[in-house]
Amino acid sequence: MGKQDYDYLLVGAGLFNAIFANEAAKLGKKCLVVEKREHIGGNLYCENIEGINVHKYGAHIFHTSNKGIWQYMNELCEFNNYINSPLANYKNKLFNLPFNMNTFSRLWGLNTPEEAKQKIEQQRLKIENPKNFEEQALSLVGTDIYKMLIKGYTEKQWGLDARLLPAFIIKRIPIRFTYNNNYFNDTYQGIPKGGYNSIFEKCFKDCDIRLNVDFMENKDLMKLASKTIFTGMIDQYYAYCYGQLEYRSLNFEHEILSTDNFQGNAVINFTEREIPYTRILEHKHFEFGTQPKTVITKEFSIEWRVGLEPYYPINTAVNQKRFAQYEKLAKKEQNLYFGGRLGEYKYYDMDKTVEAALQLFKEMNGEVKL
């Protein structure tokens, strides 16, 4: 194809660019999608194994309180009524998350909210200016909850002793004095029936797609389009000229088991430091499956380095300062836009990713109808 045969080059086939492509198609715009993986869908990609939609890159539950975004997504797929109610396993005892009256009853044998409030108050560390994560958590929830259900999990997640983590990582810890196990407070939540793949097939159906192509080695592709939307790592795009931004990465071990039900719940966190994985997912429970076999995934949080997949931006003051330098470079660009978790170095939930993609499209093309 000749020069600028496309309106948009979309680098990355994840959610941000899928929504952008969906809007572009409504205006008859032509998009070229470049994706380094062998599939579209980004981290939401599902693989069908034993008739089960396996979330290959970790659990993803769509949740939002934005009615417009919920309605928008319902035009792309039909959601089931899955309610996220994870459990925490500590020394083979199970506790409900987020911390609620079921947790406190199991932990202390208490029956009333008043008893639970008094217990937490007795255990809370009375400190005005917590210096680190451990002091902050102890000042919020006290010793039992912290030592059993927070400390080990957090240290595995970040790869550091809790006393070396900054206090600002947790400004608050959700505590409920009701028997409500719904992890999210949002109005709407669910998982697409049949998994997430259909959303991407629908959004990208009018696009030309090139899989297994590393854009960083093929930047000349930008010449084919009037504008480029880049959803990779912003620091990588600029060859780490201000240094590397930090991320946490994940490793997944998938297993097919010859049982119809391994753990009875979609998500169980393992809070002991000695257990190497942070959680086990049992995928069939996301869609109320009754298949004869089951697929589980053990999730390990690992240190990121160049070559690994970046999952979570580490929002320390140093990283934010470094990102601000990259952002200044990005703002000087003509016809190049950065989006998504990696392009904007933000921990976006899915609904916020959709909002951000729609906002960018609106800024570039005018009104988006929700």
Side-chain angles (χ1 to χ4, degrees):
M1 298 186 84
K3 188 177 181 183
Q4 295 197 341
D5 283 333
Y6 296 96
D7 295 290
Y8 300 109
L9 171 66
L10 305 180
V11 181
L15 185 59
F16 189 98
N17 274 342
I19 298 304
F20 194 96
N22 188 53
E23 292 304 306
K26 293 176 185 177
L27 297 184
K29 305 276 189 181
K30 294 176 68 178
C31 298
L32 172 63
V33 181
V34 176
E35 170 56 56
K36 68 179 180 180
R37 288 174 174 167
E38 60 185 6
H39 58 74
I40 59 174
N43 291 341
L44 296 178
Y45 174 73
C46 296
E47 182 179 348
N48 192 283
I49 301 173
E50 298 291 340
I52 299 162
N53 292 307
V54 175
H55 297 213
K56 290 288 283 187
Y57 304 98
H60 290 91
I61 299 102
F62 193 90
H63 58 98
T64 187
S65 290
N66 185 322
K67 189 175 183 179
I69 295 296
W70 180 248
Q71 290 173 335
Y72 183 93
M73 292 304 294
N74 273 269
E75 292 175 10
L76 296 174
C77 68
E78 183 181 358
F79 285 92
N80 67 17
N81 62 343
Y82 177 81
I83 301 294
N84 190 28
S85 305
L87 297 167
N89 183 313
Y90 177 77
K91 297 190 183 297
N92 290 320
K93 282 191 174 181
L94 293 173
F95 300 89
N96 291 98
L97 297 173
F99 309 131
N100 64 56
M101 285 304 300
N102 287 308
T103 320
F104 309 142
S105 179
R106 176 83 164 142
L107 195 57
W108 298 312
L110 305 177
N111 295 323
T112 70
E114 191 54 42
E115 289 174 314
K117 287 175 185 176
Q118 287 176 7
K119 187 75 171 177
I120 291 169
E121 189 56 35
Q122 287 167 11
Q123 293 197 354
R124 278 183 60 242
L125 185 70
K126 309 303 188 289
I127 182 168
E128 279 190 27
N129 295 303
K131 296 186 189 70
N132 55 52
F133 179 96
E134 180 161 291
E135 289 185 359
Q136 175 78 317
L138 286 168
S139 70
L140 292 169
V141 294
T143 49
D144 288 348
I145 294 174
Y146 172 68
K147 287 181 178 175
M148 294 170 69
L149 302 178
I150 295 175
K151 179 178 165 65
Y153 186 88
T154 301
E155 291 180 341
K156 286 189 287 188
Q157 194 77 342
W158 295 97
L160 286 171
D161 186 291
R163 289 164 295 187
L164 299 177
L165 289 167
F168 69 76
I169 288 178
I170 45 163
K171 292 183 171 63
R172 56 183 292 275
I173 296 173
I175 297 174
R176 292 186 189 143
F177 295 100
T178 62
Y179 291 88
N180 174 13
N181 296 323
N182 183 351
Y183 191 80
F184 300 121
N185 291 314
D186 286 313
T187 311
Y188 312 101
Q189 70 175 295
I191 287 173
K193 291 182 178 180
Y196 283 93
N197 293 3
S198 63
I199 293 173
F200 295 92
E201 288 159 8
K202 193 172 287 188
C203 288
F204 289 131
K205 71 180 189 303
D206 296 319
C207 303
D208 289 340
I209 301 172
R210 299 189 191 180
L211 300 175
N212 299 304
V213 173
D214 187 341
F215 170 79
M216 297 307 298
E217 296 172 5
N218 296 274
K219 280 192 174 181
D220 279 356
L221 288 168
M222 293 174 75
K223 295 175 183 174
L224 298 179
S226 302
K227 295 178 172 66
T228 297
I229 314 299
F230 183 82
T231 61
M233 296 186 295
I234 190 170
D235 54 336
Q236 183 187 29
Y237 182 87
Y238 289 112
Y240 309 108
C241 64
Y242 294 123
Q244 290 176 10
L245 295 169
E246 292 180 292
Y247 305 86
R248 287 297 285 174
S249 191
L250 297 171
N251 191 31
F252 303 99
E253 291 183 1
H254 307 288
E255 297 176 51
I256 302 169
L257 302 177
S258 296
T259 178
D260 66 340
N261 192 357
F262 172 72
Q263 64 184 18
N265 205 51
V267 183
I268 297 184
N269 293 354
F270 288 78
T271 62
E272 291 165 75
R273 186 71 182 89
E274 295 72 27
I275 293 174
Y277 43 86
T278 53
R279 57 184 181 172
I280 295 180
L281 313 177
E282 187 169 11
H283 300 270
K284 70 193 304 180
H285 297 308
F286 289 123
E287 299 186 64
F288 318 109
T290 57
Q291 298 88 345
K293 291 186 179 181
T294 195
V295 181
I296 66 166
T297 299
K298 290 176 181 173
E299 190 172 304
F300 300 79
S301 180
I302 58 175
E303 185 178 354
W304 178 84
R305 63 179 187 276
V306 173
L308 292 180
E309 197 66 38
Y311 285 90
Y312 303 109
I314 301 178
N315 290 316
T316 61
V318 171
N319 283 321
Q320 284 306 314
K321 187 176 179 182
R322 187 168 290 159
F323 169 69
Q325 292 178 291
Y326 286 117
E327 196 174 30
K328 275 185 185 174
L329 289 182
K331 285 177 177 173
K332 293 176 186 173
E333 297 284 358
Q334 294 289 318
N335 302 320
L336 171 62
Y337 304 84
F338 293 83
R341 279 188 181 187
L342 305 181
E344 298 178 66
Y345 200 66
K346 270 184 191 170
Y347 184 84
Y348 274 132
D349 282 331
M350 283 184 281
D351 63 328
K352 297 294 188 256
T353 300
V354 174
E355 281 185 49
L358 290 173
Q359 181 60 35
L360 178 61
F361 189 85
K362 178 181 173 182
E363 288 169 6
M364 294 168 69
N365 295 279
E367 195 61 45
V368 170
K369 291 181 181 177
L370 282 181

